[in-house]
């Protein structure tokens, strides 16, 4: 994380419905949400939070296209230029026979590329230690967090209380 | 928190679970000391695996001559086992990918273990072509890289090379898909752990936090990986069938092979998932997560794919007769009534006739029957591959070179050894990772917001919201 410490105030909710309602209220009150942490993906949270759609699939398409080209052009070059070879009297450039490998490499490139991109943009990876706010967030608590640097603490706490947070805590990240 | 039961749908998870209870139920098997059953299972598996390793080393040391393959029957148990294991490796991705695209939420109960099973089965499968090469240290010749031998490239027009690409891609993508699903669950294990265990699981969880943006990307990644895996899983057995279908051997060069192999693969894969799941749910007490509904759904898939396979067998027979081509006719006559008639009968009985019992609902929901059936299908599908491979080769064009084949102790040992590998991996997996996808199960606990039962609930029981 960045070297400047963040003072976080966060509320824990027991249910995702509570959380969504709290996020809505925070948005109406124009409070800047630091982040929301949940034990599982919550449907309907992204539009409320105002998250833009992920562009990961676009990256996936580009990686896939790269795989298609690598396989097809690679085999074309190998069998027409680098080492032309006759197999069973077939043409050097036997396109139908290239399709299976072209398909497989498309999938392989897209999958590896997307997965690696996913971990890099999320700042996740083997050995990464991300401080987290509460151990129960990966269990059964739904967390709404505010950065005290951008939101006044009183407002944040009162919103968390109003919306039914079962616990309100502070932590420095 | 009281009942979280939808008034309109049968719950996917029974037992009125709360989120915390789900975590408790699914993570605790990785935290407790291993049970006696597990330890005994592991000892047996490792012993069997060791014997398999010995037989593989024996093969490498003595050479392929230690197998009973001959000039006529040059593919025997090795390729039979290869195709069989690859088939078993089809259910995991089918469950996690195709059922994800079809929004079949029940898959969350079984996808994790099925995917793990896929990976281990593909590992077992990949072993056979490698040792069948005879000189395993030359295995890198199948990789396309500019080298000092020419430069000589592998034959990209050969289905055997397509197999290399298909299976290695399948293994890689399955691993990525599986691990990405595991990351949030490893974080759950991490957050319950202390000391060294916490460090290890933090490493495994890649520092997962559960941020909303991460979840969004995680879902996007899962969806695209599912979209990619769906044609991939269909392509893998299609390409395996090309190993046979592109040849000129009567009984092999049939256009029906790709769909028939894929259906057979799904069939045997689901059977193996059921075999494992029925044991796992019992031993780890997961009856609330892997319910009779799950078993029934999988039995429906078994019924459909088993029937497709049956239709394919009959179509093959009809087309062989209808073609008027004597070699083709003889190939099928020989399969059914030749020296290996018993394997053809076993195949027909186990794959086509016995699954028809599942037309009856109460039998689909009978766990003992399902378990027996899953074993039958595993055996039947092994016979299918043996029928296609060995019996076809044993009676080729020239009667003077007809031959018979039965495996040597080495071949049997390697096959048994792959079970050791499979179960060793599976048993370790059940100790290290949650066998049911924790986060995904939580996300299907309530199918809609109208079962909201939190602190500020204006309604305590299920009635409509808004």
């Amino acid at each position: 994380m960045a070297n400047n410490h963040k003072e976080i105030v966060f509320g824990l909710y027991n249910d995702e419905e509570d959380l969504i309602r709290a996020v809505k209220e925070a948005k109406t009150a124009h409070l800047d949400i630091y982040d929301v942490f949940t034990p599982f993906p919550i449907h309907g949270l992204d539009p409320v939070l105002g998250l833009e759609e992920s562009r990961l699939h676009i990256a996936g398409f580009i990686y896939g296209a790269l795989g298609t080209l690598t396989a097809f052009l690679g085999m074309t070059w190998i069998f027409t230029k680098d080492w032309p070879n006759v197999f069973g009297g077939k043409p050097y450039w036997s396109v139908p026979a290239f399709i299976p490998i072209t398909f497989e490499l498309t999938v392989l490139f897209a999958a590896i590329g997307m997965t690696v991109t996913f971990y890099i943009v999320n700042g996740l990876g083997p050995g990464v230690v991300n401080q987290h706010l509460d151990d129960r967030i990966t269990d059964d608590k739904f967390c709404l967090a505010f950065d005290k640097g951008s939101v006044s603490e009183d407002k944040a706490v009162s919103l968390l209380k109003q919306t039914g947070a079962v616990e309100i805590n502070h932590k420095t990240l | 928190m009281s009942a979280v039961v939808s008034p309109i749908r049968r719950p996917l998870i029974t037992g009125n679970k709360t989120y915390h209870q789900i975590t408790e139920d699914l993570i605790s098997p990785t935290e407790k000391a291993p049970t006696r059953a597990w330890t005994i299972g592991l000892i047996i598996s490792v012993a069997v695996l060791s014997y398999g390793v010995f037989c593989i080393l024996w093969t490498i040391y003595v050479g392929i001559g230690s197998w009973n393959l001959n000039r006529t029957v040059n593919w025997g148990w090795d390729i039979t086992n290869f195709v069989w294991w690859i088939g078993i490796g089809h259910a995991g991705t089918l469950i996690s990918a195709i059922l994800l695209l079809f929004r079949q939420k029940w898959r969350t109960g079984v996808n994790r273990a099925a995917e793990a099973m896929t990976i281990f089965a593909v590992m077992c499968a990949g072993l056979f072509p490698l040792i069948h090469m005879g000189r395993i240290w030359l295995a890198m010749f199948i990789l396309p890289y500019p080298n000092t031998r020419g430069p000589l490239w592998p034959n990209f027009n050969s289905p055997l090379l397509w197999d290399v690409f298909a299976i290695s891609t399948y293994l890689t993508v399955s691993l990525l898909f599986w691990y990405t699903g595991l990351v949030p669950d490893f974080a759950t294990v991490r957050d319950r752990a202390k000391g060294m265990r916490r460090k290890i699981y933090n490493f495994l969880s890649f520092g997962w936090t559960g941020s909303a943006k991460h979840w969004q990307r995680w879902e996007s990644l899962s969806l695209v990986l599912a979209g990619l895996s769906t044609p991939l899983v269909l392509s893998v057995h299609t390409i395996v069938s090309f190993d046979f279908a592109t040849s000129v051997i009567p009984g092999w060069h049939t256009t029906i092979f790709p769909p028939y192999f894929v259906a057979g693969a799904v069939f045997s894969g689901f059977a193996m998932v059921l075999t494992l799941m029925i044991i796992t749910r019992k031993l780890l007490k997961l009856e609330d997560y892997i319910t009779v509904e799950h078993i029934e759904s999988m039995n429906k898939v078994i019924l459909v794919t088993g029937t497709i396979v049956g239709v394919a067998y009959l179509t093959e027979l009809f087309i062989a007769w209808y073609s008027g081509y004597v070699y083709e006719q003889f190939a099928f006559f020989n399969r059914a009534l030749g020296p290996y008639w018993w394997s053809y009968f076993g195949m027909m009985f186990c794959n086509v006739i016995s699954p028809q019992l599942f037309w009856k609902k109460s039998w689909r929901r009978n766990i003992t029957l399902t378990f027996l059936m899953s074993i039958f299908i595993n055996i039947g599908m092994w016979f299918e591959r043996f029928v296609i491979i060995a019996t076809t080769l044993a009676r080729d064009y020239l009667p003077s070179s007809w031959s018979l084949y039965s495996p040597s102790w080495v071949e049997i040992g390697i096959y048994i050894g792959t079970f050791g590998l499979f179960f060793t991996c599976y048993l370790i997996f059940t100790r290290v990772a949650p066998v049911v996808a924790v986060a995904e199960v939580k996300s299907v606990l309530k199918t809609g917001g109208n079962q909201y039962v939190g602190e500020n609930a204006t309604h305590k029981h299920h009635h409509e919201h808004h």
Side-chain angles (χ1 to χ4, degrees):
Chain A
M1 295 297 276
N3 44 16
N4 51 333
H5 289 292
K6 284 200 177 80
E7 296 287 324
I8 304 290
V9 55
F10 64 96
L12 297 177
Y13 297 86
N14 274 340
D15 197 280
E16 68 268 29
E17 289 277 304
D18 286 336
L19 177 81
I20 290 181
R21 202 170 305 146
V23 170
K24 278 182 189 157
E25 300 226 351
K27 286 281 168 188
T28 348
H30 297 291
L31 290 179
D32 197 8
I33 295 171
Y34 168 66
D35 207 342
V36 169
F37 300 95
T38 57
F40 57 86
I42 291 166
H43 289 230
L45 182 64
D46 299 355
V48 178
L49 261 180
L51 289 182
E52 282 173 37
E53 203 196 329
S54 167
R55 286 166 298 167
L56 205 55
H57 55 274
I58 301 172
F61 179 80
I62 296 167
Y63 294 125
L66 208 65
T68 314
L69 291 177
T70 308
F72 194 76
L73 297 181
M75 285 186 286
T76 299
W77 173 74
I78 287 165
F79 274 178
T80 59
K81 294 272 182 284
D82 190 52
W83 192 270
N85 218 338
V86 177
F87 294 106
K90 306 284 190 333
Y92 293 136
W93 197 54
S94 40
V95 177
F98 294 169
I99 289 173
I101 290 180
T102 306
F103 169 76
E104 299 300 334
L105 283 200
T106 305
V107 171
L108 185 67
F109 275 49
I112 293 181
M114 268 184 79
T115 310
V116 171
T117 309
F118 168 79
Y119 288 117
I120 290 174
V121 293
N122 284 345
L124 303 172
V128 171
V129 181
N130 286 326
Q131 268 195 296
H132 50 282
L133 294 172
D134 194 288
D135 276 350
R136 290 164 297 166
I137 291 169
T138 53
D139 178 9
D140 62 346
K141 291 286 182 277
F142 302 81
C143 170
L144 173 60
F146 295 99
D147 183 352
K148 288 188 219 167
S150 52
V151 175
S152 98
E153 192 179 332
D154 297 341
K155 276 188 186 170
V157 169
S158 73
L159 179 114
L160 291 171
K161 270 186 188 154
Q162 261 175 34
T163 50
V166 286
E167 259 179 58
I168 297 169
N169 292 319
H170 302 263
K171 194 161 182 176
T172 310
L173 286 185
Chain B
M1 291 202 196
S2 59
V4 277
V5 177
S6 163
I8 44 166
R9 279 176 186 275
R10 286 194 199 186
L12 291 167
I13 301 140
T14 54
N16 295 337
K17 302 290 181 192
T18 62
Y19 292 133
H20 181 66
Q21 192 59 42
I22 294 177
T23 313
E24 229 18 85
D25 288 352
L26 300 181
I27 305 286
S28 62
T30 69
E31 292 167 340
K32 290 179 198 149
T35 58
R36 180 182 288 260
W38 185 88
T39 316
I40 294 170
L42 188 74
I43 290 170
I44 296 173
S45 301
V46 172
V48 170
L49 170 62
S50 312
Y51 182 63
V53 170
F54 168 74
C55 289
I56 290 172
L57 292 176
W58 184 265
T59 302
I60 293 168
Y61 178 71
V62 177
I64 284 296
S66 61
W67 295 1
N68 269 354
L69 296 176
N70 51 57
R71 216 168 32 162
T72 307
V73 185
N74 45 24
W75 279 358
W77 271 41
D78 48 357
I79 304 299
T80 302
N81 299 337
F82 159 70
V83 180
W84 187 74
W85 275 118
I86 282 282
I88 285 171
H90 269 54
T93 310
L94 191 107
I95 288 174
S96 48
I98 298 183
L99 298 185
L100 176 84
L101 296 184
F102 284 147
R103 304 261 183 249
Q104 292 293 305
K105 289 183 175 172
W106 61 269
R107 84 195 163 82
T108 54
V110 287
N111 64 352
R112 167 71 45 74
E115 281 172 51
M117 195 200 81
T118 287
I119 291 161
F120 307 144
V122 173
M123 280 161 43
C124 293
L127 206 60
F128 286 100
L130 285 175
I131 45 180
H132 186 227
M133 286 174 187
R135 300 177 197 173
I136 198 168
W137 52 94
L138 298 180
M140 81 285 185
F141 276 27
I142 58 177
L143 299 175
Y145 65 101
N147 52 54
T148 52
R149 288 171 274 127
L152 191 65
W153 296 91
N155 181 3
F156 296 106
N157 300 334
S158 162
L160 299 177
L161 191 69
W162 303 345
D163 249 356
V164 173
F165 278 88
I167 290 162
S168 50
T169 301
Y170 187 56
L171 181 62
T172 312
V173 176
S174 302
L175 263 175
L176 293 175
F177 200 4
W178 182 61
Y179 201 84
T180 303
L182 268 169
V183 161
D185 289 355
F186 278 146
T188 308
V189 181
R190 170 199 68 196
D191 291 347
R192 291 161 58 89
K194 290 189 176 61
M196 194 59 199
R197 186 177 158 86
R198 193 176 176 100
K199 285 213 176 84
I200 294 170
Y201 277 98
N202 184 63
F203 184 85
L204 292 174
S205 71
F206 288 5
W208 179 262
T209 58
S211 159
K213 189 67 193 173
H214 294 181
W215 276 123
Q216 186 204 34
R217 292 189 183 123
W218 184 87
E219 288 216 291
S220 168
L221 178 66
S222 303
L223 191 64
V224 179
L225 284 182
L228 289 169
S229 306
T230 301
L232 178 65
V233 68
L234 301 180
S235 84
V236 173
H237 230 62
T238 299
I239 291 176
V240 169
S241 82
F242 285 168
D243 293 346
F244 305 98
T246 61
S247 73
V248 288
I249 308 290
W252 282 9
H253 66 284
T254 61
T255 48
I256 201 175
F257 262 26
Y260 149 33
F261 267 53
V262 171
V266 174
F267 182 55
S268 67
F270 269 69
M272 191 57 114
V273 170
L274 280 171
T275 312
L276 282 184
M277 287 294 97
I278 288 172
I279 300 172
T280 309
R281 78 195 275 274
K282 185 88 188 157
L283 289 182
L284 298 182
K285 300 189 176 59
L286 298 173
E287 283 95 340
D288 285 333
Y289 299 92
I290 303 162
T291 60
V292 178
E293 304 291 328
H294 288 88
I295 291 172
E296 191 190 356
S297 298
M298 287 195 270
N299 279 338
K300 284 178 183 166
V301 177
I302 282 187
L303 178 59
V304 170
T305 49
T307 309
I308 293 175
V309 167
V311 170
Y313 294 161
L314 298 180
T315 309
E316 273 189 329
L317 284 178
F318 172 76
I319 293 296
W321 166 76
Y322 190 65
S323 69
Y325 178 56
V326 287
Y327 293 101
E328 191 78 14
Q329 286 172 341
F330 174 74
F332 283 89
F333 180 79
N334 173 59
R335 276 185 192 174
L337 301 168
Y340 293 107
W341 63 271
W342 43 269
S343 62
Y344 191 83
F345 173 78
M347 165 186 105
M348 278 293 189
F349 179 76
C350 295
N351 294 349
V352 186
I353 298 168
S354 63
Q356 302 307 320
L357 293 181
F358 282 152
W359 286 104
K360 192 169 157 64
K361 181 165 175 151
S362 60
W363 290 353
R364 282 199 299 271
R365 299 174 70 89
N366 183 322
I367 293 170
T368 316
L369 180 69
T370 303
F371 186 76
L372 285 176
M373 188 69 77
S374 73
I375 303 286
F376 263 60
I377 293 166
N378 286 324
I379 296 170
M381 285 308 291
W382 190 90
F383 273 136
E384 180 201 292
R385 277 64 182 252
F386 185 77
V387 165
I388 292 172
I389 295 166
T391 73
T392 307
L393 289 172
R395 293 283 177 271
D396 67 355
Y397 291 100
L398 271 181
S400 60
S401 55
W402 282 3
S403 161
L404 278 176
Y405 161 82
S406 59
S408 72
W409 63 271
V410 185
E411 291 171 273
I412 297 171
I414 295 172
Y415 178 51
I416 293 171
T418 53
F419 282 99
L421 175 63
F422 182 78
F423 284 106
T424 304
C425 291
Y426 187 79
L427 286 169
I428 292 173
F429 156 73
T430 61
R431 296 285 312 154
V432 172
V435 273
V436 174
V438 183
E440 287 180 70
V441 160
K442 284 178 189 164
S443 72
V444 300
L445 180 63
K446 307 174 185 178
T447 41
N450 55 348
Q451 292 103 42
Y452 164 66
V453 287
E455 210 74 6
N456 299 326
T458 51
H459 48 80
K460 277 289 176 198
H461 298 288
H462 35 72
H463 53 77
E464 71 276 31
H465 197 49
H466 300 302

